[in-house]
Amino acid sequence: MTKKVLLIRVYHKNALTVFPPLGIGSLVEYVKERSTEFDFDLFDYCLDNNLDEFIKTKYSGIKPILIGISTLLRHFYLAIEIAKRLKQILPGVPIVMGGAGPSSLMDMVLENDSVDYVIYKDGEIGFLKLLEYVSRGGSPSDVPSLIFRSKDEIRINEPQVVHEEEIQIPDFDFLRLPEYFKRFSHVMLGPRKTYYAITTRGCPYSCIYCHHLFGRKVRFIPIEKILSSFEKFQRKYNFEWIDFSDDIFNIDEERAMKIISGIRRINRDIKFSYPNGFRVDIMSEKFMDFIGCNNTRFLSVAIETASQRLQNLLKKNINLEKAENNIRYLSRYNIPIITTFLFGLPTETLNELIKSIRFAFGLPITYASFLRVVPHIGSELFEILSDEQKRIIMTSLKSDLHYHNIDVNLSNIPDSILNVLQRFTGPVYYLRPRQIYRILRDTPARGLLQGGKLISQIALGRARE
Ligand code: B12
Ligand code: SF4
């Protein structure tokens, strides 16, 4: 008899931007490749409403052997509430948490009695071994990447990363992909019939505000696997867009070009978007010409600051001159480009912030985001906070911690000035005739209408991202 496993993807209700839970999808496929013993149910807070009802329907007279909860740090407080509720309605069923949030908090997660286990960083190998352990017995010490209670102490097992050949692509039917077609995965793009791809794990850079979730060695999923999965679902759903959300999709340009060509051989007209980012200062002209001629319809590049001093301090180390030259080069293709800038960086001066704003205003791009830097626990940036600042961040984990409402200012700029600049830079940026013209020129009408509505909501502070 198959053993039931309940998986829960935590997210806010009313979130504007939603994304299929690719992490859960990869875990399930990894286990299914190796065992027919387990049967998975998914409750996805982006799509589903009533957990109690769901459990009543799926688990009358039967219990799952394990509940797995996936959460980002931002939704951790919700994940804990959900775990507490599950302990009431499914008493005795062990609960494991995984994902970027628990991987940052590590053993702190187990300060909550309602969670029994954490699996940190890559989840695949640890998750399969944990399923085997809860269903057949053995020792938790043999489960890689596991954090667990043992008598009076909390034990952290060594992590084990999955080999690049063994990373599985999600079954998008299990993730109910068509229900995501009606939603926004990015504020600027609107609802789209999109296939979601992540083709690598890991990033070689060392930005101090990052979690380095998958380590610094880049693992490349075999191209044939990426293309065959795309082809299979393309036949079924006839996608209009493909999003690549790799940390840095252009880390290996030759490979990136092979993937793009392969996708276009399967669907010539598909539109490409890269919402999670390209590293713009490493692009060659050949690569920029290639993406310029291959249906690129959205490209995100993170600049963060126009101060070279702060680039070095952040260990982002973007070569600003090359970045600017490459953005200007790309602009000949009228690709909608979005760049991000972070406000309130450690030791940032008013002059440096104004330099960043002027830099953003001068770039030939379509969109710019001006966000407050959030020192997330688990990042190097968090370690430079004062005890009081750490306390504020830890307290805000009990509610909502976001780029738009952070109370920690690490810069040398007074709070009042920083807040005013953060609130008004976006609206001033978008209300310039030049910017309105670019948006009209570069963005498809549907995205523009919806994007405009959302930008104004965000500017007025009413929307949640
Ligand atoms: C796509 C994406 C998004 C999507 C949605 C992500 C989601 N999962 O729901 C969108 C665009 C909405 C988004 C938004 C944000 N994101 Co984001 N995002 C990503 C990105 C690029 C890919 C996520 C992904 O699918 N990865 C691939 C899968 C395979 O990995 P995974 O989900 O982590 O799953 C693996 C393990 O974590 C684990 N696992 C996951 N779940 C579970 C559950 C169990 C039970 C177990 C055992 C294991 C397990 O196993 C999986 C396989 O190994 C990551 C960067 C990255 N490389 O992962 C950032 C990342 C997750 N985002 C991050 C951040 C900071 C944000 C924002 C706060 C940024 C913002 N601008 O506001 C928002 C918050 C979301 C919100 N609306 O409130 C951080 C996470 C920080 C943290 N510790 O929580 C990341 C890691 C980026 C980084 N480099 O720091 N994001
Ligand atoms: S480039 Fe992105 S993924 Fe890589 S270290 Fe910096 S923030 Fe993290």
Side-chain angles (χ1 to χ4, degrees):
M1 199 177 88
T2 53
K3 294 160 184 163
K4 297 282 249 176
V5 181
L6 171 60
L7 295 169
I8 299 185
R9 191 276 185 94
V10 179
Y11 221 75
H12 312 123
K13 284 204 168 62
N14 313 323
L16 285 178
T17 49
V18 298
F19 201 86
L22 303 186
I24 285 185
S26 310
L27 290 181
V28 169
E29 287 315 293
Y30 182 87
V31 173
K32 280 191 184 162
E33 277 276 304
R34 286 158 183 80
S35 169
T36 49
E37 222 178 307
F38 308 102
D39 181 27
F40 297 93
D41 292 311
L42 171 61
F43 185 90
D44 180 348
Y45 270 85
C46 287
L47 306 175
D48 301 312
N49 284 318
N50 191 330
L51 182 61
D52 284 33
E53 271 304 309
F54 182 89
I55 287 172
K56 231 189 251 165
T57 322
K58 294 269 180 194
Y59 300 103
S60 69
I62 166 181
K63 274 187 180 177
I65 57 155
L66 180 72
I67 298 171
I69 300 182
S70 177
T71 181
L72 297 182
L73 203 49
R74 184 170 174 206
H75 307 128
F76 179 68
Y77 69 109
L78 290 174
I80 291 297
E81 289 308 311
I82 292 162
K84 281 186 193 155
R85 178 72 192 134
L86 286 164
K87 283 289 179 197
Q88 290 167 352
I89 47 180
L90 287 171
V93 180
I95 296 183
V96 57
M97 258 195 206
S103 300
S104 310
L105 290 165
M106 300 286 288
D107 48 332
M108 267 184 269
V109 176
L110 295 190
E111 286 167 12
N112 301 278
D113 293 343
S114 43
V115 184
D116 301 286
Y117 304 110
V118 172
I119 283 183
Y120 63 105
K121 301 192 182 273
D122 275 48
E124 285 85 345
I125 301 173
F127 185 55
L128 175 60
K129 296 278 180 214
L130 181 65
L131 283 170
E132 290 171 351
Y133 163 66
V134 294
S135 60
R136 294 186 212 147
S139 165
S141 308
D142 297 335
V143 177
S145 317
L146 187 75
I147 308 180
F148 62 103
R149 295 187 191 87
S150 169
K151 300 197 181 102
D152 288 339
E153 55 168 6
I154 292 179
R155 300 262 302 274
I156 304 179
N157 291 346
E158 284 296 310
Q160 197 172 342
V161 299
V162 59
H163 189 272
E164 58 191 6
E165 302 274 341
E166 295 185 341
I167 298 174
Q168 296 300 325
I169 304 203
D171 172 354
F172 285 99
D173 290 329
F174 177 72
L175 300 185
R176 291 149 63 198
L177 187 61
E179 293 181 48
Y180 281 91
F181 294 161
K182 304 170 220 143
R183 308 284 298 274
F184 285 68
S185 64
H186 199 288
V187 178
M188 309 305 172
L189 293 171
R192 300 164 298 144
K193 243 176 150 185
T194 305
Y195 179 85
Y196 294 88
I198 297 188
T199 72
T200 50
R201 279 209 193 156
C203 170
Y205 294 100
S206 299
C207 309
I208 64 169
Y209 51 83
C210 180
H211 284 101
H212 312 292
L213 182 61
F214 294 125
R216 289 192 173 76
K217 181 177 180 307
V218 184
R219 284 167 282 160
F220 297 98
I221 301 178
I223 295 179
E224 315 77 64
K225 204 186 237 182
I226 296 162
L227 296 181
S228 72
S229 166
F230 172 73
E231 190 165 21
K232 175 175 143 199
F233 290 104
Q234 163 65 32
R235 266 191 249 119
K236 195 160 180 186
Y237 296 120
N238 196 16
F239 298 109
E240 292 161 354
W241 287 76
I242 181 164
D243 277 16
F244 287 96
S245 294
D246 297 72
D247 287 333
I248 303 188
F249 182 65
N250 61 322
I251 198 74
D252 176 341
E253 291 188 339
E254 289 301 323
R255 176 179 180 274
M257 290 190 284
K258 277 189 195 145
I259 294 176
I260 295 168
S261 302
I263 297 285
R264 288 203 74 196
R265 272 196 296 277
I266 298 165
N267 177 348
R268 183 97 211 127
D269 300 323
I270 197 155
K271 302 178 184 102
F272 290 80
S273 75
Y274 306 95
N276 195 42
F278 270 26
R279 175 90 188 189
V280 71
D281 58 341
I282 60 170
M283 286 182 179
S284 66
E285 283 188 9
K286 177 182 168 196
F287 184 71
M288 291 189 280
D289 289 334
F290 182 83
I291 59 165
C293 298
N294 273 286
N295 272 358
T296 301
R297 297 297 169 87
F298 191 73
L299 177 58
S300 162
V301 298
I303 300 281
E304 324 299 21
T305 171
S307 150
Q308 204 65 57
R309 179 186 81 86
L310 290 172
Q311 281 290 342
N312 301 345
L313 190 145
L314 292 179
K315 299 190 187 162
K316 180 111 194 155
N317 293 323
I318 289 211
N319 180 323
L320 289 163
E321 194 185 329
K322 276 196 185 152
E324 182 172 356
N325 287 343
N326 284 353
I327 288 173
R328 292 197 183 285
Y329 189 90
L330 277 171
S331 70
R332 69 185 63 182
Y333 292 106
N334 293 346
I335 298 169
I337 297 179
I338 182 166
T339 63
T340 49
F341 289 87
L342 294 176
F343 282 27
L345 291 167
T347 70
E348 186 172 35
T349 62
L350 186 57
N351 274 347
E352 285 172 321
L353 182 54
I354 289 172
K355 192 172 170 196
S356 291
I357 295 172
R358 293 173 78 138
F359 187 81
F361 277 50
L363 287 174
I365 50 177
T366 318
Y367 300 106
S369 290
F370 304 98
L371 308 164
R372 280 291 282 276
V373 63
V374 179
H376 282 298
I377 180 158
S379 68
E380 207 181 319
L381 181 59
F382 184 80
E383 294 311 317
I384 64 174
L385 300 186
S386 67
D387 287 348
E388 176 56 10
Q389 288 169 327
K390 283 183 180 161
R391 195 193 57 74
I392 295 173
I393 296 286
M394 292 313 287
T395 310
S396 57
L397 273 180
K398 294 189 180 116
S399 55
D400 195 1
L401 172 63
H402 200 39
Y403 290 87
H404 301 293
N405 60 3
I406 175 96
D407 285 332
V408 169
N409 176 4
L410 301 170
S411 73
N412 294 340
I413 306 164
D415 285 353
S416 51
I417 299 180
L418 189 61
N419 290 339
V420 167
L421 282 174
Q422 206 232 318
R423 189 155 170 72
F424 292 105
T425 304
V428 171
Y429 178 84
Y430 284 108
L431 289 172
R432 294 174 311 152
R434 186 205 297 179
Q435 218 50 45
I436 294 170
Y437 164 73
R438 279 197 193 120
I439 293 173
L440 286 169
R441 185 194 60 191
D442 299 343
T443 320
R446 190 173 61 173
L448 171 66
L449 279 176
Q450 279 148 335
K453 198 166 90 190
L454 294 171
I455 289 163
S456 63
Q457 283 175 344
I458 288 167
L460 294 170
R462 283 206 301 267
R464 300 185 82 178
E465 215 177 327

